[in-house]
Amino acid sequence: MLTLEHVTHAYDGCPVLSDISLRLTEHRIGVIGANGSGKSTLARTLNGLIVPDSGRVWVDGLDTRRRAREVRQRVGFVFSDPATQIIMPTVAEDIEIGLRDSGLSRAEITRRVDAVLERYDLAGHRDHPAHLLSGGQKQLLALAAVLVTEPDILVCDEPTTLLDLRNVALIERTLRELPQQLVLFTHHLETVMDFDRVLVVDEGRVVFDGEPEPAVAHYTELMGLAPGTGAAPGRTP
Ligand code: ADP
């Protein structure tokens, strides 16, 4: 469970998050908002990548300010650009690196790596150079490399931004099937329509928090768009 208490953050004196308090217990939570509204900053506070200037973030009762290591073990984080996350030469090595300091036996590490390679359709690419994978496969690899560590919670910061439609569908289907609690920051409004809860962020504040349909309607209205069309009024075909 994630709890935020009066989270406030600024960059160079410019406020980015303003007094956000939330208790996130639902299985699948979506976060939507315009570019620059503070979503990435908010996402990064959830696993301690950013410690807010003031306020507290708790992960299963652990303060991200004090218990960074345990928090990172519990909260997996997937970035929008998989290149940020892929650091090892081959696919299997990139998955294995996350377990390096886990204290697991060699046999258990091999078992887990093999299982995620299989699960995410990467088994045939085991020893391939990671940088030669397609965009969708790279994002799957980034996801697999996080999930192999078996986090309780997964935070994804716009993981489909760089992908074509087919790969968007692949990643979304994968996320949908995860047993973990998921907090998905996304621009794809259709994706969150069957989520348990959707937050709308605007200028560093949560301006709507509730069911997906009214959340998306609130967001499209905020953007000056016609609800449900994703297009500006007067420009629908
Ligand atoms: P979003 O994910 O909604 O696009 P961000 O959290 O990335 O929003 O950014 C919110 C605001 O903070 C933007 O104006 C952005 O330019 C600024 N910002 C983000 N990261 C930094 C940083 N490391 N240093 C300075 N300003 C930043």
Side-chain angles (χ1 to χ4, degrees):
M1 183 178 70
L2 296 159
T3 308
L4 292 82
E5 287 176 357
H6 304 292
V7 166
T8 295
H9 196 67
Y11 295 115
D12 308 321
C14 272
V16 178
L17 299 178
S18 304
D19 196 22
I20 295 184
S21 293
L22 292 165
R23 201 162 162 271
L24 304 176
T25 55
E26 292 77 5
H27 181 201
R28 284 185 295 161
I29 298 165
V31 185
I32 56 180
N35 290 332
S37 57
K39 298 185 304 301
S40 277
T41 306
L42 179 62
R44 284 164 167 73
T45 67
L46 300 181
N47 81 333
L49 271 174
I50 288 179
V51 172
D53 294 339
S54 65
R56 288 278 191 277
V57 180
W58 307 86
V59 176
D60 294 337
L62 300 169
D63 184 345
T64 59
R65 193 177 292 271
R66 296 170 195 279
R67 311 281 291 274
R69 192 180 154 81
E70 290 143 290
V71 163
R72 300 269 172 89
Q73 282 167 353
R74 280 182 161 77
V75 186
F77 195 97
V78 176
F79 294 85
S80 58
D81 182 359
T84 315
Q85 252 167 292
I86 294 173
I87 49 174
M88 297 301 286
T90 70
V91 169
E93 285 172 305
D94 202 70
I95 294 176
E96 199 176 308
I97 188 80
L99 298 176
R100 192 181 45 185
D101 298 325
S102 63
L104 296 172
S105 67
R106 177 101 291 267
E108 175 60 11
I109 290 177
T110 304
R111 190 196 66 75
R112 282 208 203 177
V113 171
D114 287 348
V116 294
L117 283 168
E118 198 63 47
R119 172 75 187 78
Y120 296 106
D121 254 353
L122 293 166
H125 302 280
R126 194 175 216 295
D127 299 315
H128 286 193
H131 72 275
L132 292 184
L133 296 177
S134 72
Q137 286 170 329
K138 279 185 189 159
Q139 194 53 280
L140 272 182
L141 171 58
L143 190 58
V146 169
L147 291 174
V148 77
T149 66
E150 300 187 353
D152 298 332
I153 301 168
L154 187 68
V155 176
C156 297
D157 185 12
E158 299 181 14
T160 53
T161 304
L162 302 178
L163 303 181
D164 62 27
L165 277 180
R166 185 182 310 184
N167 284 314
V168 168
L170 176 66
I171 295 295
E172 288 184 347
R173 196 169 57 242
T174 306
L175 292 176
R176 203 168 290 270
E177 289 166 2
L178 293 178
Q180 278 98 344
Q181 185 183 24
L182 171 68
V183 187
L184 176 65
F185 292 72
T186 184
H187 282 298
H188 289 267
L189 304 181
E190 323 81 63
T191 309
V192 299
M193 289 314 281
D194 65 345
F195 275 31
D196 305 304
R197 179 177 175 186
V198 176
L199 312 176
V200 181
V201 177
D202 186 44
E203 296 185 357
R205 294 178 191 276
V206 175
V207 295
F208 187 94
D209 179 356
E211 298 284 328
E213 208 170 306
V216 168
H218 188 97
Y219 175 59
T220 48
E221 200 178 322
L222 196 68
M223 296 292 101
L225 300 174
T229 64
R235 293 184 56 207
T236 41

